[in-house]
Coordinates of all heavy atoms in Angstrom, one line a residue:
M1 N -72.3 94.9 -125.1 CA -72.7 93.7 -124.5 C -72.2 93.6 -123.0 O -71.1 94.0 -122.8 CB -72.3 92.5 -125.2 CG -72.8 91.2 -124.6 SD -72.1 89.7 -125.2 CE -73.1 89.4 -126.6
F2 N -73.1 93.2 -122.1 CA -72.7 93.0 -120.8 C -72.4 91.5 -120.5 O -73.1 90.7 -121.0 CB -73.8 93.5 -119.8 CG -74.1 94.9 -120.0 CD1 -75.3 95.3 -120.6 CD2 -73.3 95.9 -119.7 CE1 -75.7 96.6 -120.8 CE2 -73.6 97.2 -119.8 CZ -74.8 97.6 -120.4
R3 N -71.3 91.3 -119.8 CA -71.0 89.9 -119.4 C -71.3 89.5 -118.0 O -71.3 88.4 -117.6 CB -69.5 89.7 -119.7 CG -69.2 89.8 -121.2 CD -67.7 89.6 -121.5 NE -67.6 90.3 -122.8 CZ -66.4 90.7 -123.2 NH1 -65.3 90.5 -122.5 NH2 -66.4 91.3 -124.4
T4 N -71.4 90.6 -117.2 CA -71.7 90.3 -115.8 C -72.8 91.3 -115.3 O -73.0 92.3 -115.9 CB -70.5 90.5 -114.9 OG1 -70.1 91.9 -114.9 CG2 -69.3 89.6 -115.3
I5 N -73.5 90.9 -114.2 CA -74.5 91.8 -113.6 C -73.8 93.1 -113.2 O -74.4 94.2 -113.4 CB -75.2 91.1 -112.4 CG1 -75.9 89.8 -112.9 CG2 -76.2 92.0 -111.8 CD1 -76.9 89.9 -114.0
A6 N -72.6 93.0 -112.7 CA -71.9 94.2 -112.2 C -71.6 95.2 -113.4 O -71.7 96.4 -113.2 CB -70.6 93.8 -111.5
E7 N -71.3 94.6 -114.5 CA -71.1 95.5 -115.7 C -72.4 96.2 -116.0 O -72.4 97.4 -116.3 CB -70.6 94.7 -116.9 CG -69.2 94.3 -116.8 CD -68.8 93.4 -118.0 OE1 -69.6 93.1 -118.9 OE2 -67.6 93.0 -118.1
F8 N -73.5 95.5 -116.0 CA -74.8 96.1 -116.3 C -75.1 97.2 -115.3 O -75.5 98.3 -115.7 CB -75.9 95.1 -116.4 CG -77.3 95.7 -116.4 CD1 -77.8 96.2 -117.6 CD2 -78.0 95.9 -115.3 CE1 -79.0 96.9 -117.7 CE2 -79.3 96.6 -115.3 CZ -79.7 97.0 -116.5
T9 N -75.0 96.9 -114.0 CA -75.4 97.8 -113.0 C -74.6 99.1 -113.0 O -75.1 100.2 -112.8 CB -75.4 97.2 -111.6 OG1 -74.2 96.7 -111.3 CG2 -76.5 96.1 -111.5
S10 N -73.3 98.9 -113.3 CA -72.4 100.1 -113.4 C -72.9 101.0 -114.5 O -73.1 102.2 -114.4 CB -71.0 99.7 -113.7 OG -70.2 100.8 -113.8
A11 N -73.2 100.4 -115.7 CA -73.6 101.2 -116.8 C -75.0 101.8 -116.5 O -75.3 102.9 -116.9 CB -73.6 100.4 -118.1
W12 N -75.9 100.9 -116.0 CA -77.3 101.4 -115.7 C -77.3 102.5 -114.7 O -78.1 103.5 -114.9 CB -78.1 100.2 -115.1 CG -79.5 100.6 -114.8 CD1 -80.1 100.7 -113.6 CD2 -80.5 101.0 -115.8 NE1 -81.4 101.1 -113.7 CE2 -81.7 101.3 -115.0 CE3 -80.5 101.0 -117.1 CZ2 -82.8 101.7 -115.6 CZ3 -81.7 101.4 -117.8 CH2 -82.8 101.7 -117.0
Q13 N -76.5 102.5 -113.7 CA -76.5 103.6 -112.7 C -76.1 104.9 -113.4 O -76.7 106.0 -113.1 CB -75.6 103.3 -111.6 CG -76.1 102.2 -110.7 CD -75.1 101.7 -109.7 OE1 -74.0 102.1 -109.6 NE2 -75.6 100.7 -108.9
G14 N -75.1 104.9 -114.3 CA -74.7 106.1 -115.0 C -75.8 106.6 -116.0 O -76.1 107.8 -116.0
E15 N -76.3 105.7 -116.8 CA -77.4 106.0 -117.7 C -78.7 106.5 -117.1 O -79.3 107.5 -117.5 CB -77.6 104.9 -118.7 CG -76.5 104.5 -119.6 CD -76.0 105.7 -120.5 OE1 -76.9 106.5 -120.9 OE2 -74.8 105.7 -120.8
S16 N -79.1 105.7 -116.1 CA -80.4 106.1 -115.4 C -80.2 107.4 -114.6 O -81.1 108.2 -114.5 CB -80.9 105.0 -114.6 OG -80.0 104.7 -113.5
G17 N -79.0 107.6 -114.1 CA -78.7 108.9 -113.4 C -78.8 110.1 -114.3 O -79.3 111.1 -114.0
S18 N -78.2 109.9 -115.5 CA -78.3 111.0 -116.5 C -79.7 111.2 -116.9 O -80.2 112.4 -117.1 CB -77.5 110.6 -117.7 OG -76.1 110.6 -117.4
T19 N -80.5 110.2 -117.1 CA -81.9 110.3 -117.5 C -82.7 111.0 -116.4 O -83.5 111.8 -116.7 CB -82.5 108.9 -117.9 OG1 -81.7 108.4 -118.9 CG2 -83.9 109.1 -118.3
L20 N -82.4 110.6 -115.2 CA -83.1 111.3 -114.0 C -82.8 112.8 -114.0 O -83.7 113.6 -113.8 CB -82.7 110.6 -112.7 CG -83.4 111.2 -111.5 CD1 -84.9 111.1 -111.6 CD2 -82.8 110.5 -110.2
K21 N -81.6 113.2 -114.3 CA -81.3 114.6 -114.3 C -82.1 115.3 -115.4 O -82.6 116.4 -115.2 CB -79.8 114.8 -114.6 CG -78.9 114.5 -113.4 CD -77.5 114.8 -113.8 CE -76.5 114.3 -112.7 NZ -75.1 114.5 -113.0
L22 N -82.3 114.6 -116.5 CA -83.1 115.2 -117.6 C -84.6 115.3 -117.1 O -85.2 116.3 -117.3 CB -83.0 114.3 -118.8 CG -84.0 114.7 -120.0 CD1 -83.3 115.8 -120.8 CD2 -84.3 113.6 -120.8
M23 N -85.1 114.3 -116.5 CA -86.5 114.3 -116.0 C -86.7 115.4 -115.0 O -87.7 116.1 -115.0 CB -86.8 112.9 -115.4 CG -86.8 111.7 -116.3 SD -88.2 111.8 -117.5 CE -88.0 110.2 -118.2
Q24 N -85.7 115.6 -114.1 CA -85.8 116.6 -113.1 C -85.7 118.0 -113.7 O -86.1 119.0 -113.0 CB -84.7 116.4 -112.0 CG -85.0 115.1 -111.2 CD -83.9 114.8 -110.3 OE1 -82.7 115.0 -110.6 NE2 -84.2 114.1 -109.2
A25 N -85.2 118.1 -114.9 CA -85.1 119.5 -115.5 C -86.4 119.9 -116.2 O -86.6 121.0 -116.5 CB -83.9 119.5 -116.6
L26 N -87.3 118.9 -116.4 CA -88.6 119.2 -117.0 C -89.4 120.1 -116.0 O -89.3 119.9 -114.8 CB -89.3 118.0 -117.3 CG -88.7 117.1 -118.4 CD1 -89.5 115.8 -118.5 CD2 -88.7 117.8 -119.7
T27 N -90.2 120.9 -116.5 CA -91.2 121.7 -115.7 C -92.6 121.4 -116.1 O -92.8 120.9 -117.3 CB -90.9 123.2 -115.8 OG1 -91.2 123.6 -117.2 CG2 -89.5 123.6 -115.5
D28 N -93.5 121.7 -115.3 CA -94.9 121.5 -115.7 C -95.2 122.2 -117.0 O -95.9 121.7 -117.9 CB -95.9 121.9 -114.6 CG -95.9 121.0 -113.4 OD1 -95.3 119.9 -113.5 OD2 -96.4 121.4 -112.4
G29 N -94.6 123.4 -117.2 CA -94.9 124.2 -118.4 C -94.2 123.6 -119.6 O -94.7 123.7 -120.7
S30 N -93.1 122.8 -119.4 CA -92.4 122.2 -120.6 C -93.1 121.0 -121.1 O -92.8 120.5 -122.2 CB -91.0 122.0 -120.3 OG -90.8 120.9 -119.4
L31 N -93.9 120.3 -120.3 CA -94.5 119.0 -120.6 C -95.3 119.1 -121.9 O -95.4 118.1 -122.6 CB -95.3 118.5 -119.5 CG -94.6 118.1 -118.2 CD1 -95.5 117.6 -117.1 CD2 -93.4 117.2 -118.4
G32 N -96.0 120.2 -122.2 CA -96.8 120.3 -123.3 C -96.1 120.7 -124.6 O -96.7 120.7 -125.7
Q33 N -94.8 121.0 -124.5 CA -94.0 121.4 -125.7 C -93.9 120.2 -126.7 O -93.5 119.1 -126.3 CB -92.6 121.9 -125.3 CG -91.8 122.3 -126.4 CD -90.4 122.8 -126.0 OE1 -90.2 123.2 -124.8 NE2 -89.5 122.8 -126.8
Q34 N -94.3 120.5 -127.9 CA -94.2 119.5 -129.0 C -92.7 119.4 -129.4 O -92.1 120.5 -129.6 CB -95.1 119.8 -130.1 CG -96.6 119.7 -129.8 CD -97.0 118.3 -129.5 OE1 -97.5 118.0 -128.5 NE2 -96.7 117.4 -130.4
V35 N -92.2 118.2 -129.7 CA -90.9 118.1 -130.2 C -90.9 118.3 -131.7 O -89.9 118.9 -132.3 CB -90.4 116.6 -129.9 CG1 -89.0 116.4 -130.5 CG2 -90.4 116.4 -128.4
S36 N -91.9 118.0 -132.4 CA -92.1 118.3 -133.8 C -93.6 118.4 -134.0 O -94.4 118.0 -133.2 CB -91.6 117.1 -134.7 OG -92.3 116.0 -134.6
P37 N -94.1 119.0 -135.1 CA -95.5 119.2 -135.3 C -96.4 117.9 -135.2 O -97.5 117.9 -134.7 CB -95.6 119.8 -136.7 CG -94.3 120.5 -136.9 CD -93.3 119.6 -136.2
E38 N -95.8 116.8 -135.7 CA -96.6 115.6 -135.6 C -96.1 114.7 -134.5 O -96.7 113.6 -134.3 CB -96.4 114.8 -136.9 CG -96.8 115.5 -138.2 CD -95.7 116.4 -138.7 OE1 -94.6 116.2 -138.5 OE2 -96.1 117.5 -139.3
G39 N -95.1 115.1 -133.7 CA -94.6 114.2 -132.7 C -95.2 114.4 -131.3 O -96.1 115.1 -131.1
R40 N -94.6 113.6 -130.4 CA -95.1 113.6 -129.0 C -94.6 114.9 -128.3 O -93.6 115.5 -128.7 CB -94.6 112.4 -128.3 CG -95.1 111.1 -128.9 CD -94.4 109.9 -128.2 NE -94.9 108.7 -128.7 CZ -94.4 107.5 -128.4 NH1 -93.4 107.4 -127.5 NH2 -94.9 106.4 -128.9
S41 N -95.3 115.2 -127.3 CA -94.8 116.3 -126.4 C -93.7 115.8 -125.5 O -93.5 114.6 -125.4 CB -96.0 116.8 -125.5 OG -96.4 115.8 -124.6
L42 N -93.0 116.8 -124.9 CA -92.0 116.4 -123.9 C -92.5 115.5 -122.8 O -91.9 114.5 -122.4 CB -91.3 117.6 -123.4 CG -90.4 118.4 -124.3 CD1 -89.8 119.6 -123.6 CD2 -89.3 117.5 -124.9
G43 N -93.7 115.9 -122.3 CA -94.3 115.1 -121.3 C -94.7 113.7 -121.7 O -94.4 112.7 -121.0
R44 N -95.2 113.5 -122.9 CA -95.5 112.2 -123.4 C -94.2 111.4 -123.6 O -94.2 110.2 -123.3 CB -96.3 112.3 -124.7 CG -96.7 111.0 -125.3 CD -97.7 110.2 -124.4 NE -97.8 108.9 -124.8 CZ -97.2 107.8 -124.2 NH1 -96.5 108.0 -123.1 NH2 -97.4 106.6 -124.7
L45 N -93.2 112.0 -124.1 CA -91.9 111.3 -124.3 C -91.3 110.9 -123.0 O -90.9 109.7 -122.8 CB -90.9 112.2 -125.0 CG -91.1 112.3 -126.5 CD1 -90.2 113.4 -127.1 CD2 -90.8 111.0 -127.3
A46 N -91.4 111.8 -122.0 CA -90.8 111.4 -120.7 C -91.6 110.3 -120.1 O -91.0 109.3 -119.5 CB -90.9 112.6 -119.8
W47 N -93.0 110.3 -120.2 CA -93.8 109.3 -119.6 C -93.5 107.9 -120.4 O -93.6 106.9 -119.8 CB -95.2 109.6 -119.6 CG -96.0 108.6 -118.8 CD1 -97.0 107.8 -119.2 CD2 -95.9 108.4 -117.4 NE1 -97.4 107.0 -118.2 CE2 -96.8 107.4 -117.0 CE3 -95.1 108.9 -116.4 CZ2 -96.9 106.9 -115.8 CZ3 -95.2 108.4 -115.1 CH2 -96.1 107.4 -114.8
H48 N -93.3 108.0 -121.6 CA -93.0 106.8 -122.4 C -91.8 106.1 -121.9 O -91.7 104.9 -121.8 CB -92.9 107.2 -123.9 CG -92.5 106.0 -124.8 ND1 -93.3 104.9 -125.0 CD2 -91.3 105.8 -125.4 CE1 -92.6 104.1 -125.8 NE2 -91.4 104.6 -126.0
I49 N -90.8 106.9 -121.5 CA -89.5 106.3 -121.0 C -89.8 105.6 -119.6 O -89.4 104.5 -119.4 CB -88.5 107.4 -120.8 CG1 -88.0 107.9 -122.2 CG2 -87.3 106.9 -120.0 CD1 -87.1 109.1 -122.2
V50 N -90.7 106.3 -118.8 CA -91.0 105.7 -117.5 C -91.8 104.4 -117.8 O -91.5 103.4 -117.1 CB -91.9 106.7 -116.7 CG1 -92.5 106.0 -115.5 CG2 -91.2 107.9 -116.3
Q51 N -92.7 104.4 -118.6 CA -93.5 103.2 -118.9 C -92.6 102.0 -119.5 O -92.9 100.9 -119.2 CB -94.6 103.4 -119.9 CG -95.7 104.3 -119.4 CD -96.7 104.7 -120.5 OE1 -96.3 105.1 -121.6 NE2 -98.0 104.4 -120.2
T52 N -91.7 102.4 -120.3 CA -90.8 101.4 -120.9 C -90.0 100.6 -119.9 O -89.7 99.4 -120.2 CB -89.9 102.1 -122.0 OG1 -90.8 102.7 -122.9 CG2 -89.0 101.1 -122.7
L53 N -89.7 101.2 -118.8 CA -88.9 100.4 -117.8 C -89.6 99.1 -117.4 O -89.0 98.0 -117.4 CB -88.6 101.3 -116.5 CG -87.8 102.5 -116.8 CD1 -87.8 103.4 -115.5 CD2 -86.4 102.1 -117.1
G54 N -90.9 99.2 -117.1 CA -91.7 98.1 -116.7 C -92.0 97.2 -117.9 O -91.9 95.9 -117.8
E55 N -92.3 97.8 -119.0 CA -92.7 97.0 -120.2 C -91.5 96.1 -120.7 O -91.6 94.9 -120.9 CB -93.1 97.9 -121.3 CG -93.5 97.2 -122.6 CD -93.7 98.2 -123.7 OE1 -93.6 99.4 -123.6 OE2 -94.1 97.6 -124.8
M56 N -90.4 96.8 -120.9 CA -89.2 96.0 -121.4 C -88.6 95.1 -120.4 O -88.2 94.0 -120.7 CB -88.1 97.0 -121.9 CG -88.5 97.8 -123.1 SD -88.8 96.6 -124.5 CE -90.2 97.4 -125.3
G57 N -88.7 95.5 -119.1 CA -88.2 94.6 -118.1 C -89.1 93.3 -118.1 O -88.6 92.2 -117.9
G58 N -90.4 93.5 -118.3 CA -91.3 92.4 -118.3 C -91.0 91.4 -119.5 O -91.0 90.2 -119.4
H59 N -90.6 92.0 -120.7 CA -90.3 91.2 -121.8 C -89.0 90.4 -121.5 O -88.7 89.4 -122.2 CB -90.1 92.1 -123.1 CG -91.4 92.7 -123.6 ND1 -92.4 91.9 -123.9 CD2 -91.7 94.0 -123.8 CE1 -93.4 92.7 -124.4 NE2 -93.0 93.9 -124.3
A60 N -88.2 90.9 -120.6 CA -86.9 90.3 -120.3 C -87.1 89.3 -119.1 O -86.1 88.8 -118.5 CB -85.8 91.3 -120.0
G61 N -88.4 89.1 -118.7 CA -88.6 88.1 -117.6 C -88.5 88.7 -116.2 O -88.5 87.9 -115.3
L62 N -88.5 90.0 -116.1 CA -88.4 90.7 -114.8 C -89.7 91.2 -114.4 O -90.5 91.6 -115.2 CB -87.4 91.8 -114.9 CG -86.0 91.4 -115.3 CD1 -85.1 92.7 -115.5 CD2 -85.3 90.5 -114.2
T63 N -90.0 91.3 -113.1 CA -91.1 91.9 -112.6 C -90.7 93.3 -112.0 O -89.8 93.3 -111.1 CB -91.8 91.1 -111.5 OG1 -92.1 89.8 -112.0 CG2 -93.0 91.8 -110.9
I64 N -91.2 94.3 -112.6 CA -90.8 95.7 -112.2 C -91.9 96.3 -111.5 O -93.0 96.5 -112.1 CB -90.3 96.5 -113.4 CG1 -89.3 95.8 -114.3 CG2 -89.8 97.9 -112.9 CD1 -88.0 95.5 -113.6
D65 N -91.7 96.7 -110.2 CA -92.8 97.5 -109.5 C -92.7 98.9 -110.1 O -91.7 99.5 -110.1 CB -92.5 97.5 -108.0 CG -92.7 96.2 -107.3 OD1 -93.5 95.4 -107.8 OD2 -92.0 95.9 -106.4
G66 N -93.9 99.4 -110.5 CA -93.9 100.7 -111.0 C -94.8 100.8 -112.2 O -95.6 99.9 -112.5
A67 N -94.7 101.9 -113.0 CA -95.5 102.1 -114.1 C -95.2 101.1 -115.2 O -94.1 100.6 -115.3 CB -95.2 103.6 -114.7
N68 N -96.2 100.8 -116.0 CA -96.0 100.0 -117.2 C -96.8 100.7 -118.4 O -97.3 101.8 -118.3 CB -96.5 98.6 -117.0 CG -98.0 98.5 -116.6 OD1 -98.8 99.2 -117.2 ND2 -98.3 97.7 -115.7
E69 N -96.9 100.0 -119.5 CA -97.4 100.6 -120.7 C -98.9 100.9 -120.6 O -99.4 101.7 -121.3 CB -97.2 99.7 -121.9 CG -98.0 98.4 -121.9 CD -97.3 97.2 -121.2 OE1 -96.3 97.4 -120.4 OE2 -97.7 96.1 -121.3
K70 N -99.6 100.4 -119.5 CA -101.0 100.7 -119.3 C -101.2 101.8 -118.3 O -102.4 102.2 -118.1 CB -101.8 99.5 -118.9 CG -101.8 98.4 -120.1 CD -102.4 97.2 -119.7 CE -102.3 96.2 -120.8 NZ -102.8 94.9 -120.4
T71 N -100.2 102.2 -117.6 CA -100.3 103.2 -116.5 C -100.5 104.6 -117.1 O -99.8 105.1 -117.9 CB -99.1 103.2 -115.6 OG1 -98.8 101.9 -115.2 CG2 -99.2 104.2 -114.5
P72 N -101.6 105.3 -116.7 CA -101.8 106.7 -117.2 C -100.7 107.6 -116.8 O -100.0 107.4 -115.8 CB -103.1 107.1 -116.5 CG -103.7 105.8 -116.0 CD -102.6 104.9 -115.8
Q73 N -100.5 108.6 -117.6 CA -99.4 109.5 -117.4 C -99.6 110.2 -116.0 O -100.6 110.7 -115.7 CB -99.3 110.6 -118.5 CG -98.2 111.6 -118.3 CD -98.0 112.5 -119.5 OE1 -98.3 112.1 -120.6 NE2 -97.5 113.7 -119.3
A74 N -98.5 110.3 -115.3 CA -98.5 111.0 -114.0 C -98.7 112.5 -114.3 O -98.4 113.1 -115.3 CB -97.1 110.8 -113.3
A75 N -99.3 113.1 -113.3 CA -99.7 114.6 -113.4 C -98.5 115.4 -112.9 O -98.2 115.4 -111.7 CB -100.9 114.9 -112.6
G76 N -97.9 116.1 -113.8 CA -96.8 117.0 -113.4 C -95.4 116.5 -113.6 O -95.2 115.2 -113.5
A77 N -94.5 117.4 -113.8 CA -93.1 117.0 -114.1 C -92.4 116.3 -112.9 O -91.7 115.3 -113.0 CB -92.3 118.3 -114.5
A78 N -92.7 116.8 -111.7 CA -92.1 116.2 -110.5 C -92.6 114.8 -110.3 O -91.8 113.9 -110.0 CB -92.4 117.0 -109.2
A79 N -93.8 114.5 -110.6 CA -94.4 113.1 -110.5 C -93.7 112.2 -111.5 O -93.5 111.0 -111.2 CB -95.9 113.2 -110.6
I80 N -93.5 112.7 -112.7 CA -92.8 111.9 -113.7 C -91.4 111.6 -113.3 O -91.0 110.4 -113.4 CB -92.9 112.6 -115.1 CG1 -94.3 112.7 -115.6 CG2 -91.9 111.9 -116.1 CD1 -94.5 113.6 -116.9
A81 N -90.7 112.5 -112.7 CA -89.3 112.3 -112.3 C -89.3 111.3 -111.1 O -88.5 110.3 -111.1 CB -88.7 113.6 -111.8
V82 N -90.2 111.4 -110.2 CA -90.3 110.4 -109.1 C -90.6 109.0 -109.6 O -90.0 108.0 -109.2 CB -91.4 110.9 -108.1 CG1 -91.8 109.8 -107.1 CG2 -90.9 112.1 -107.3
A83 N -91.6 108.9 -110.6 CA -91.9 107.6 -111.2 C -90.7 107.0 -111.9 O -90.5 105.8 -111.9 CB -93.1 107.8 -112.1
Y84 N -90.0 107.9 -112.6 CA -88.8 107.4 -113.3 C -87.8 106.8 -112.3 O -87.2 105.7 -112.5 CB -88.1 108.4 -114.2 CG -86.9 107.9 -114.8 CD1 -86.9 107.0 -115.9 CD2 -85.6 108.1 -114.2 CE1 -85.8 106.4 -116.4 CE2 -84.5 107.5 -114.7 CZ -84.6 106.6 -115.9 OH -83.5 106.0 -116.3
R85 N -87.5 107.6 -111.2 CA -86.5 107.1 -110.2 C -86.9 105.8 -109.6 O -86.1 104.9 -109.5 CB -86.3 108.2 -109.1 CG -85.4 107.7 -108.0 CD -85.3 108.7 -106.9 NE -84.6 109.8 -107.4 CZ -84.2 110.8 -106.7 NH1 -84.4 110.8 -105.4 NH2 -83.5 111.8 -107.3
A86 N -88.2 105.7 -109.3 CA -88.7 104.4 -108.7 C -88.6 103.3 -109.7 O -88.1 102.2 -109.3 CB -90.2 104.6 -108.3
G87 N -88.9 103.5 -111.0 CA -88.9 102.4 -111.9 C -87.4 102.0 -112.2 O -87.1 100.8 -112.4
A88 N -86.5 103.0 -112.3 CA -85.1 102.7 -112.6 C -84.5 101.9 -111.5 O -83.7 101.0 -111.7 CB -84.3 104.0 -112.9
T89 N -84.8 102.3 -110.2 CA -84.4 101.6 -109.1 C -84.9 100.2 -109.0 O -84.2 99.2 -108.7 CB -84.7 102.3 -107.8 OG1 -84.1 103.6 -107.8 CG2 -84.2 101.6 -106.5
A90 N -86.2 100.0 -109.3 CA -86.8 98.7 -109.3 C -86.2 97.8 -110.4 O -86.1 96.6 -110.2 CB -88.4 98.9 -109.5
L91 N -85.9 98.4 -111.6 CA -85.3 97.6 -112.6 C -84.0 97.1 -112.2 O -83.7 95.9 -112.4 CB -85.2 98.4 -113.9 CG -84.6 97.6 -115.1 CD1 -85.6 97.0 -115.9 CD2 -83.7 98.5 -115.9
E92 N -83.2 97.9 -111.6 CA -81.8 97.5 -111.2 C -82.0 96.4 -110.1 O -81.3 95.4 -110.2 CB -81.0 98.7 -110.6 CG -79.6 98.3 -110.2 CD -78.8 99.4 -109.7 OE1 -79.2 100.6 -109.9 OE2 -77.8 99.1 -109.1
K93 N -82.9 96.6 -109.2 CA -83.1 95.6 -108.1 C -83.5 94.3 -108.7 O -83.1 93.2 -108.3 CB -84.1 96.1 -107.1 CG -84.3 95.1 -106.0 CD -85.3 95.6 -105.0 CE -85.5 94.6 -103.9 NZ -86.5 95.0 -102.9
A94 N -84.4 94.3 -109.7 CA -84.9 93.1 -110.3 C -83.8 92.4 -111.0 O -83.7 91.1 -111.0 CB -86.1 93.4 -111.3
V95 N -83.0 93.1 -111.7 CA -81.8 92.5 -112.4 C -80.9 91.8 -111.4 O -80.5 90.6 -111.6 CB -81.1 93.5 -113.3 CG1 -79.7 92.9 -113.7 CG2 -81.9 93.9 -114.5
T96 N -80.5 92.5 -110.4 CA -79.6 92.0 -109.4 C -80.1 90.8 -108.6 O -79.3 90.0 -108.1 CB -79.0 93.1 -108.5 OG1 -80.1 93.7 -107.8 CG2 -78.3 94.1 -109.3
T97 N -81.4 90.8 -108.4 CA -82.0 89.7 -107.6 C -82.5 88.5 -108.4 O -82.7 87.4 -107.9 CB -83.1 90.2 -106.7 OG1 -84.1 90.7 -107.5 CG2 -82.6 91.2 -105.7
T98 N -82.7 88.7 -109.7 CA -83.3 87.7 -110.6 C -82.2 87.0 -111.4 O -82.2 85.8 -111.6 CB -84.4 88.3 -111.4 OG1 -85.4 88.9 -110.6 CG2 -85.1 87.2 -112.3
W99 N -81.4 87.8 -112.1 CA -80.4 87.3 -113.0 C -79.1 86.9 -112.3 O -78.8 87.4 -111.3 CB -80.1 88.3 -114.1 CG -81.3 88.5 -115.0 CD1 -82.5 87.8 -115.1 CD2 -81.3 89.5 -116.0 NE1 -83.3 88.4 -116.1 CE2 -82.6 89.4 -116.7 CE3 -80.5 90.6 -116.4 CZ2 -83.0 90.3 -117.7 CZ3 -80.9 91.4 -117.4 CH2 -82.1 91.2 -118.1
K100 N -78.4 85.9 -112.9 CA -77.1 85.5 -112.5 C -76.1 85.7 -113.6 O -76.5 85.6 -114.8 CB -77.2 84.0 -112.0 CG -78.3 83.7 -111.0 CD -78.0 84.4 -109.7 CE -79.0 84.1 -108.7 NZ -79.5 85.3 -108.0
D101 N -74.9 85.8 -113.3 CA -73.9 85.9 -114.3 C -73.8 84.7 -115.2 O -73.5 84.9 -116.4 CB -72.5 86.2 -113.7 CG -72.3 87.6 -113.1 OD1 -73.1 88.5 -113.5 OD2 -71.4 87.8 -112.3
A102 N -74.1 83.6 -114.7 CA -74.1 82.4 -115.5 C -75.1 82.4 -116.6 O -75.0 81.9 -117.7 CB -74.3 81.1 -114.7

């Protein structure tokens, strides 16, 4: 549980930074790899994470510039990583400008 915006942003920067490294490790060739026979591909999972930033931020009363649950999947691994970075940055900005510690 976070008690201050600073606690959240510190944790968010670490977690989103780690996730960005993962996104940047994806290749166009890896996007089609299935995680399990019935499961999503790596590309679909990565895009789901990107979409979730805007979707969950919206449920928390934040307006996040970037992809949301209705945005079609970006073409290519590099575009997914760019979209993630933009969404993660937008989420942090929305939290720090909208929420207060009180």
Side-chain angles (χ1 to χ4, degrees):
M1 178 191 277
F2 302 108
R3 295 179 201 159
T4 65
I5 302 301
E7 286 177 355
F8 170 80
T9 56
S10 177
W12 180 249
Q13 289 168 0
E15 295 298 327
S16 64
S18 294
T19 303
L20 179 59
K21 286 180 186 177
L22 175 85
M23 297 288 189
Q24 291 171 329
L26 294 171
T27 64
D28 289 346
S30 72
L31 296 181
Q33 181 179 335
Q34 291 295 122
V35 176
S36 68
E38 300 84 29
R40 296 175 179 172
S41 67
L42 289 178
R44 181 64 193 105
L45 284 170
W47 191 245
H48 175 69
I49 291 168
V50 172
Q51 291 175 309
T52 299
L53 296 170
E55 178 188 2
M56 291 299 140
H59 290 305
L62 301 171
T63 301
I64 310 298
D65 291 330
N68 62 42
E69 67 274 16
K70 295 178 183 173
T71 307
Q73 183 171 328
I80 291 173
V82 167
Y84 177 79
R85 177 183 291 189
T89 300
L91 180 95
E92 182 178 348
K93 182 179 179 184
V95 166
T96 60
T97 59
T98 304
W99 291 351
K100 305 295 178 228
D101 286 343

